[in-house]
Amino acid sequence: MAAKTIDEVIARLDNIIDAECAKNSCMAYFPILYREVTVRIKEGILNNEFENNPRMEKLDVLFANRYIEAYECLGKNQPFTKSWKKAFEVAKKGNLLIMQHLLLGINAHINLDLGIAVAETVGDDGELMDFENDFNKINEILGSMIANVESKIITVSPLFGLLDKFGKGREDKLVNFSINVARDGAWLFANQYHFSHNKDEELKTRDTIIATLADKLIHQKSWVLKYLVKTIYFFEKKDVPQIVLVLKQ
């Protein structure tokens, strides 16, 4: 059953994290970040930081349920979006950088799920433009927390800093992925989805685009970056519960 409150969302995320840690699975990484974001949004609602706090809780729950539903569909062998399928498939293999797993989750959730959740929160008769300021605040929270996570990753991935030092300037999605670009794309998609007369087709088209972007986050174009990623990965810790404890701090 879908979560109905933010507290239920946090509890469901805790269950996912525990289940994946028990399997030493990299699928535990994204829900750790997402849990922290959800807790921060809950605090923001309690402190009346948003223009419409009840609406923000509705969005948070609808938004989270898209990830939770995809995760549960995986376990039941039921169909779900290509974007999440890409993220889950490589997480099961566990041969990517910690940051790659996080970005793949962010890619599916921000670039696809957020626009849909915003449109569903507003409803067919609602005014989407009234939501823009709160929408931007969510993404500001996410952006700041990603920066915080990057500083934590260094402790379990000693060569992670090389990606920023030698990767920048290259035309590759792994080093050029931008939360601001994702935010702008999600807002544009929210408008397209909101006003579409064929939402299923709109979702399918967007999902295909975002799944293609996932491929670009997984595979590097330049041999320099490929070698760099392999080297960084070699020295990263592989103990998922230990990494999760670091990301929780």
Side-chain angles (χ1 to χ4, degrees):
M1 293 180 63
K4 295 182 175 62
T5 66
I6 286 188
D7 286 333
E8 286 184 17
V9 167
I10 294 169
R12 297 288 280 277
L13 292 173
D14 283 335
N15 290 338
I16 293 173
I17 293 163
D18 290 343
E20 296 305 322
C21 279
K23 296 183 285 188
N24 201 49
S25 166
C26 296
M27 285 180 65
Y29 298 150
F30 175 74
I32 279 291
L33 172 63
Y34 194 30
R35 184 191 189 281
E36 296 305 304
V37 171
T38 304
V39 169
R40 173 65 184 84
I41 290 175
K42 177 185 175 181
E43 292 172 354
I45 292 170
L46 292 175
N47 293 327
N48 293 312
E49 291 180 17
F50 303 104
E51 291 184 353
N52 187 323
N53 292 284
R55 181 183 63 187
M56 183 55 65
E57 177 161 10
K58 181 180 179 181
L59 169 64
D60 189 275
V61 173
L62 286 171
F63 187 30
N65 278 330
R66 290 198 59 83
Y67 161 68
I68 294 168
E69 181 183 353
Y71 177 84
E72 293 180 347
C73 284
L74 176 70
K76 297 174 183 176
N77 290 319
Q78 295 176 348
F80 57 99
T81 58
K82 297 176 184 177
S83 304
W84 275 117
K85 189 174 182 180
K86 293 281 185 183
F88 292 157
E89 283 177 347
V90 293
K92 282 192 168 186
K93 294 177 183 177
N95 58 353
L96 298 183
L97 301 180
I98 297 165
M99 194 63 193
Q100 280 178 287
H101 290 298
L102 293 176
L103 290 178
L104 284 163
I106 291 167
N107 177 57
H109 209 38
I110 299 295
N111 282 327
L112 179 66
D113 292 345
L114 182 55
I116 296 168
V118 167
E120 289 178 346
T121 301
V122 172
D124 291 339
D125 300 324
E127 180 56 60
L128 195 63
M129 292 305 297
D130 290 343
F131 212 142
E132 190 169 11
N133 289 337
D134 279 347
F135 174 89
N136 289 334
K137 284 182 183 178
I138 293 176
N139 287 278
E140 288 171 9
I141 290 170
L142 180 59
S144 66
M145 300 195 85
I146 288 174
N148 187 39
V149 164
E150 287 180 349
S151 66
K152 295 176 182 179
I153 288 177
I154 293 290
T155 65
V156 289
S157 181
L159 301 185
F160 179 68
L162 295 178
L163 197 60
D164 186 61
K165 186 174 181 179
F166 296 105
K168 294 299 181 184
R170 299 183 182 277
E171 294 182 3
D172 194 289
K173 287 299 179 184
L174 177 58
V175 293
N176 290 315
F177 189 90
S178 166
I179 289 297
N180 289 335
V181 172
R183 175 200 65 197
D184 294 344
W187 181 249
L188 178 61
F189 174 57
N191 280 270
Q192 292 171 339
Y193 187 80
H194 179 65
F195 293 108
S196 175
H197 296 296
N198 189 339
K199 287 182 168 52
D200 288 340
E201 189 62 31
E202 196 73 41
L203 190 158
K204 183 178 178 181
T205 300
R206 178 71 173 177
D207 186 28
T208 299
I209 293 169
I210 302 310
T212 300
L213 180 54
D215 281 327
K216 294 178 180 179
L217 287 168
I218 296 167
H219 305 289
Q220 291 74 56
K221 292 191 296 184
S222 75
W223 69 267
V224 173
L225 208 54
K226 285 180 182 178
Y227 178 78
L228 185 60
V229 168
K230 286 182 179 180
T231 303
I232 295 169
Y233 173 77
F234 181 81
F235 288 98
E236 275 194 349
K237 292 186 182 298
K238 308 298 189 296
D239 186 327
V240 171
Q242 181 183 2
I243 294 167
V244 164
L245 284 175
V246 170
L247 295 179
K248 277 183 175 180
Q249 292 174 357

